[in-house]
Amino acid sequence: MNAIRAKLTLYWPESPLQALQQGLKRALLPLIGLLMFLFVWHVGAQNINTSLGQFPGPVQVVEQARNLIAEHQRERTKEVAFYERQEKRNANKLAADPHAEVKIRPYTGKPTFFDQIGTSLVTVLAGFVMASLIAIPLGILVGLNGDLYAAANPLIQLFKPVSPLAWLPLVTMLVSALYVSDDPLFAKSFITSLVTVSLCCLWPTLINTAVGVSGISKDLQNVSQVLRLPWLTHVVKIVLPASVPMVFTGLRLSLGIAWMVLIAAEMLAQNPGLGKFVWDEFQNGSSNSLGRIMVAVLVIGLIGFLLDRIMLLLQRTLSWDKSATLR
Amino acid sequence: MMKAHLELSGVDIEFPTPKGPFKALQNVNLKIDQGEFVSLIGHSGCGKSTVLNIVAGLYQATRGGCLLDGREVTQPGPERAVVFQNHSLLPWLSAYENVELAVKQVFKGRKSKAEMKAWIEHNLELVHMSHALHKRPDEISGGMKQRVGIARALAMQPKVLLMDEPFGALDALTRAHLQDSLMEIQARLNNTVIMITHDVDEAVLLSDRIVMMTNGPAATVGEILHVDLPRPRDRIALADDAKYNRYRQAVLSFLYEKQRKVEDFQQHREKQSTAAAESEESAPAAKRASG
Ligand SMILES: Nc1ncnc2c1ncn2[C@@H]1O[C@H](COP(=O)(O)OP(=O)(O)OP(=O)(O)O)[C@@H](O)[C@H]1O
Ligand SMILES: [Mg+2]
């Protein structure tokens, strides 16, 4: 980044006025783009009528966002009240009879929009972590061994393009069949979403790790050979750091895919999360539904963007290769 | 007769290529004594790096082999440290850590932590890199990287130091500086060194013997020139030295008259055998297959 800027100033020597213009331009252009989009959206929405009423414009969407926040707050006060009541009841019981059995029941209200966001985030991160835990070691093994690479490559190519929607029924049945326990730690729906997300997002990390590992320069391998580094030291000291930039490229792609896949999976499987929120609103079909769905769309986009930025920050702090272009 | 410290005998190597095997070296013979500084010189692509890689153990000879102190070389190892053509430092480690990786591996269990630290710093000091111990390769200049590469190799306390065009990518000033450092270090430590170079002056200035290789394919040792100049050598004083200039002349004439790059193979062999007979300073190291 700095190098580029240095070059730019070389070609366009900046006067203070020019610098000001440049700064304004950099701040203004995205704003203009945003305003244009809002305008087109606003005008366009007024002219589209659906069976659920007029298509929501920016104004309705802001209104629905407010509603969703208010609903969430209402639900939270209810919850707090519920626990207060329960506590009071239990305290009274104990005061009357110190040996009384008190039960603490969890609050079972309807999950709000923000609860669904939380569920989705937890699911996507769990699925992504699981996929990474599988894909990175596997990628290293496959990258280190040419024969293994040749054996695994057709499988990778075959499964990589499979849509989550195709996996979902199989995964659902498998989870039902295999994940049986009287006191399950996790809900089945959570496991199903997690496995589907993992299956779909593991490929970019796997492929990029393998490519990074197998692409280690001959020179570095020679250094390792001359030093007679033991296998593990070789992997830890040479292979891993050398492939870190590629691994991160893979991880970022994977996280993006994981987020997209999750929404689709939740929608199709009726598993809790943002996808279910969208589907429920669609089924609900009130005049506000489309506006609320639009809020969800924007939030999904925003979260996807933030997740990518977080990965980028992580890459910046963890990778030795600071010159890697960060897009 | 004393056994040679390092000996290449009857080395052939063939590389498998899509168009069938490619014979890069044929019948390479060379004996090197402990403490000797030997340069390999020859046209690009003749097989210098291949010879070095065989000594390093990175390549396996198809026929013949390499003995170090009577033991056959079968795999790479730290007693034959390599200074690679393009430094080959690990880009994510600082100068200190690059040397440390080698020192930890070689002296594991033999040196204490403090001794290792002192030893690493000592070796970086030898190449005048003490001021940039904790800089990463991308933060230092090409000449400095090359110096760290040399320090890493020296720190392994190798029996033989193998250098593949260590100063090839450097400007003339830096190169002269590093050549002087290398001479100084070698005089102090008495390492056995094999160095590949393209630079005739460098070869004559640094070497005890210059091994001149014929053109490939099937390259071999053409002539060996003993450089009998007193040490320490001073590049400025030598510039006017008649002996020095005769050595230079001999290498140049080998490279540009006897081993002109493009020539008919038959003609090339005839020329070579007559040339070898005529030259008074050179001694053909080995009988060529047909020679
Ligand atoms: N791994 C390999 N596979 C196939 N051919 C090879 C291999 N390594 C070297 N060669 C061939 O062997 C010959 C000698 O190569 P080498 O790298 O030893 O040359 P060199 O003398 O070091 O050249 P330069 O001075 O340009 O570095 C070349 O023709 C090259 O193409
Ligand atoms: Mg070479």
Side-chain angles (χ1 to χ4, degrees):
Chain A
M1 232 352 236
N2 278 329
I4 294 173
R5 212 171 293 147
K7 231 179 233 166
L8 285 179
T9 46
L10 261 187
Y11 293 128
W12 293 295
E14 282 185 59
S15 72
L17 189 70
Q18 274 173 324
L20 189 71
Q21 274 178 338
Q22 287 278 327
L24 270 181
K25 223 173 154 185
R26 221 171 286 150
L28 268 181
L29 286 180
L31 198 66
I32 292 174
L34 192 64
L35 287 176
M36 294 247 293
F37 167 73
L38 286 177
F39 177 74
V40 171
W41 179 15
H42 182 72
V43 173
Q46 282 178 337
N47 295 313
I48 302 174
N49 278 301
T50 70
S51 58
L52 293 178
Q54 199 194 57
F55 192 80
V59 182
Q60 289 93 315
V61 167
V62 169
E63 195 182 303
Q64 288 312 319
R66 286 224 182 91
N67 278 346
L68 285 170
I69 294 172
E71 271 169 36
H72 179 73
Q73 283 165 343
R74 236 177 289 141
E75 195 67 23
R76 275 300 95 87
T77 30
K78 265 202 229 165
E79 185 181 346
V80 170
F82 170 84
Y83 280 118
E84 264 173 17
R85 255 182 287 129
Q86 178 170 274
E87 229 171 87
K88 217 178 267 169
R89 209 178 319 123
N90 285 339
N92 286 342
K93 247 192 207 170
L94 281 175
D97 171 14
H99 301 290
E101 242 176 67
V102 292
K103 277 193 208 131
I104 296 180
R105 266 187 302 260
Y107 177 70
T108 49
K110 181 173 164 283
T112 67
F113 181 59
F114 294 92
D115 296 334
Q116 303 285 37
I117 293 178
T119 311
S120 283
L121 275 178
V122 169
T123 317
V124 82
L125 289 180
F128 172 69
V129 167
M130 184 166 116
S132 308
L133 287 181
I134 296 171
I136 294 175
L138 208 62
I140 291 172
L141 283 183
V142 168
L144 280 175
N145 186 328
D147 295 340
L148 213 56
Y149 200 138
N153 197 36
L155 292 176
I156 296 174
Q157 301 304 334
L158 179 70
F159 288 123
K160 189 180 63 163
V162 175
S163 152
L165 307 185
W167 281 120
L168 197 61
L170 293 176
V171 172
T172 311
M173 296 319 289
L174 271 182
V175 169
S176 307
L178 298 178
Y179 189 69
V180 273
S181 127
D182 295 333
D183 180 24
L185 188 57
F186 302 109
K188 265 190 186 146
S189 60
F190 173 76
I191 302 287
T192 311
S193 298
L194 178 144
V195 172
T196 310
V197 165
S198 296
L199 269 178
C200 292
C201 81
L202 111 128
W203 310 108
T205 304
L206 178 58
I207 293 169
N208 278 282
T209 306
V211 168
V213 167
S214 63
I216 286 182
S217 82
K218 189 79 194 139
D219 291 325
L220 298 188
Q221 289 184 28
N222 283 344
V223 169
S224 171
Q225 280 192 307
V226 167
L227 288 175
R228 269 199 215 146
L229 293 182
W231 188 82
L232 196 64
T233 319
H234 171 70
V235 170
V236 172
K237 294 272 175 160
I238 312 247
V239 172
L240 274 180
S243 47
V244 156
M246 281 298 274
V247 172
F248 267 104
T249 308
L251 285 176
R252 276 177 69 196
L253 286 171
S254 281
L255 188 55
I257 290 182
W259 185 237
M260 272 205 281
V261 162
L262 177 71
I263 304 298
E266 285 169 350
M267 225 165 143
L268 190 75
Q270 295 288 296
N271 290 344
L274 272 173
K276 183 167 161 53
F277 173 86
V278 171
W279 187 252
D280 285 350
E281 288 300 333
F282 180 55
Q283 294 298 317
N284 189 2
S286 82
S287 58
N288 288 335
S289 287
L290 289 184
R292 292 157 74 96
I293 291 175
M294 199 63 202
V295 175
V297 166
L298 294 179
V299 167
I300 289 170
L302 191 68
I303 291 177
F305 171 73
L306 288 179
L307 287 177
D308 192 55
R309 287 289 117 165
I310 291 170
M311 280 307 289
L312 203 78
L313 273 176
L314 214 64
Q315 175 171 15
R316 277 202 184 141
T317 42
L318 290 183
S319 176
W320 51 272
D321 188 10
K322 308 289 178 206
S323 67
T325 43
L326 302 170
R327 260 164 284 124
Chain B
M1 196 196 116
M2 227 186 76
K3 261 238 168 258
H5 178 52
L6 180 79
E7 181 172 357
L8 284 164
S9 51
V11 169
D12 285 11
I13 192 165
E14 280 179 2
F15 290 113
T17 67
K19 282 184 276 171
F22 172 81
K23 190 162 210 165
L25 297 176
Q26 182 169 349
N27 196 25
V28 173
N29 293 286
L30 189 62
K31 284 183 185 174
I32 297 174
D33 289 330
Q34 153 65 33
E36 211 177 357
F37 195 121
V38 173
S39 295
L40 285 181
I41 201 164
H43 286 290
S44 178
C46 72
K48 305 180 293 296
S49 296
T50 308
V51 171
L52 203 79
N53 281 328
I54 289 173
V55 178
L58 291 165
Y59 287 171
Q60 279 301 314
T62 328
R63 230 172 45 101
C66 172
L67 293 176
L68 176 62
D69 289 332
R71 300 253 299 274
E72 189 173 0
V73 167
T74 53
Q75 58 165 334
E79 78 280 2
R80 282 160 284 121
V82 186
V83 176
F84 294 94
Q85 190 160 357
N86 45 359
H87 66 78
S88 298
L89 299 178
L90 307 184
W92 50 89
L93 298 182
S94 68
Y96 181 91
E97 290 165 331
N98 263 288
V99 180
E100 186 185 35
L101 181 70
V103 168
K104 271 196 174 156
Q105 182 60 23
V106 175
F107 296 100
K108 200 168 31 189
R110 284 198 281 149
K111 273 191 198 307
S112 71
K113 251 195 176 151
E115 282 171 332
M116 282 198 199
K117 182 167 186 289
W119 177 242
I120 295 164
E121 281 168 0
H122 167 74
N123 279 282
L124 282 160
E125 167 84 61
L126 272 183
V127 294
H128 307 291
M129 281 296 296
S130 300
H131 60 290
L133 289 183
H134 300 293
K135 290 209 161 128
R136 293 248 198 90
D138 59 353
E139 298 166 330
I140 57 182
S141 72
M144 289 159 90
K145 281 183 245 195
Q146 208 51 269
R147 283 191 263 166
V148 177
I150 294 171
R152 176 173 66 185
L154 288 173
M156 293 149 84
Q157 251 180 6
K159 288 182 179 167
V160 185
L161 186 59
L162 304 169
M163 309 173 101
D164 193 345
E165 289 182 51
F167 313 131
L170 305 178
D171 65 285
L173 261 165
T174 314
R175 193 186 315 174
H177 179 73
L178 284 185
Q179 287 166 351
D180 290 341
S181 313
L182 181 60
M183 276 196 284
E184 186 191 313
I185 291 167
Q186 207 256 343
R188 200 169 341 155
L189 306 178
N190 199 29
N191 295 92
T192 309
V193 182
I194 305 180
M195 180 181 78
I196 294 177
T197 178
H198 272 136
D199 181 340
V200 177
D201 290 291
E202 179 172 278
V204 179
L205 180 69
L206 296 175
S207 318
D208 298 316
R209 279 192 297 158
I210 301 175
V211 174
M212 293 173 263
M213 292 189 59
T214 64
N215 289 338
T220 187
V221 175
E223 295 175 15
I224 296 184
L225 181 71
H226 283 267
V227 181
D228 190 15
L229 294 169
R231 289 180 188 270
R233 295 174 184 168
D234 174 59
R235 68 178 67 244
I236 299 169
L238 283 176
D240 288 331
D241 188 295
K243 225 169 165 189
Y244 173 85
N245 283 307
R246 238 180 316 130
Y247 290 134
R248 251 186 114 245
Q249 186 59 41
V251 179
L252 285 173
S253 109
F254 178 88
L255 288 177
Y256 300 108
E257 287 169 8
K258 301 170 196 167
Q259 292 290 326
R260 286 267 294 279
K261 190 68 183 148
V262 193
E263 59 186 355
D264 172 55
F265 192 60
Q266 187 56 39
Q267 191 188 347
H268 151 118
R269 282 207 281 198
E270 279 166 14
K271 255 189 176 177
Q272 216 174 41
S273 44
T274 49
E278 277 163 22
S279 170
E280 41 167 351
E281 296 215 39
S282 59
K287 275 204 195 92
R288 261 153 267 121
S290 66

